[in-house]
Amino acid sequence: MRDAWCARPGAALPAWHRALADPAIGDALRLLHEDPAHRWTVAALAAKVGMSRAAFAARFTSLVGQPPLTYLTGWRMTLGADLLRDTEATVARTVGYEDAFAFSVAFKRARGVSPSVWRRQCADPGATERGTAAEDR
């Protein structure tokens, strides 16, 4: 992925990638990337990398281009967007299907609705009553 990024005309590595070279900020970025679901605070990150909260926040912002928790929010949204885009494909591979289409066909045969309808019904149990299942026909 990095090689593809760098191969683009005029492409430069993102600031966070360059910040990995800094011992403390690099460690903090690795912590955020390895466990984005953790309830991180600036103080907790600073303590993990052996810096004061104020010095850590200033150095992180200077090297990465944004404050630590703003960066974390962006990282979480990037991961979330990837999961929203790839969920059926990821599920398909996890449960033994080569692609999302094959999984979708098998799921609909077994459950009576497509995976996307199933997901909507789980998120909004009243959706079936409003005709969501009809969308799948």
Side-chain angles (χ1 to χ4, degrees), residues 3-16:
D3 293 335
W5 178 281
C6 295
R8 296 184 343 209
L13 290 173
W16 69 263

Side-chain angles (χ1 to χ4, degrees), residues 10-113:
L13 290 173
W16 69 263
H17 192 276
R18 291 188 304 276
L20 287 170
D22 181 274
I25 303 308
D27 285 349
L29 285 165
R30 281 184 278 283
L31 288 167
L32 294 174
H33 283 228
E34 289 169 6
D35 192 5
H38 185 80
R39 296 185 64 121
W40 292 110
T41 64
V42 175
L45 283 166
K48 288 270 193 189
V49 299
M51 294 180 71
S52 74
R53 191 186 79 64
F56 170 76
R59 189 149 143 201
F60 189 102
T61 302
S62 173
L63 292 173
V64 176
Q66 55 190 321
L69 298 184
T70 302
Y71 176 83
L72 176 59
T73 298
W75 178 237
R76 287 172 171 168
M77 294 304 106
T78 296
L79 293 172
D82 287 349
L83 289 171
L84 287 171
R85 184 185 65 230
D86 296 336
T87 299
E88 285 185 32
T90 302
V91 170
R93 285 189 298 276
T94 301
V95 299
Y97 291 87
E98 288 190 25
D99 58 40
F101 179 77
F103 171 71
S104 183
V105 169
F107 190 93
K108 186 171 181 178
R109 187 179 323 118
R111 298 286 178 149
V113 295

Side-chain angles (χ1 to χ4, degrees), residues 103-119 121 128 132-137:
F103 171 71
S104 183
V105 169
F107 190 93
K108 186 171 181 178
R109 187 179 323 118
R111 298 286 178 149
V113 295
S114 70
S116 59
V117 169
W118 178 270
R119 185 180 302 123
Q121 289 174 344
T128 304
T132 304
E135 294 174 19
D136 198 50
R137 291 187 204 134

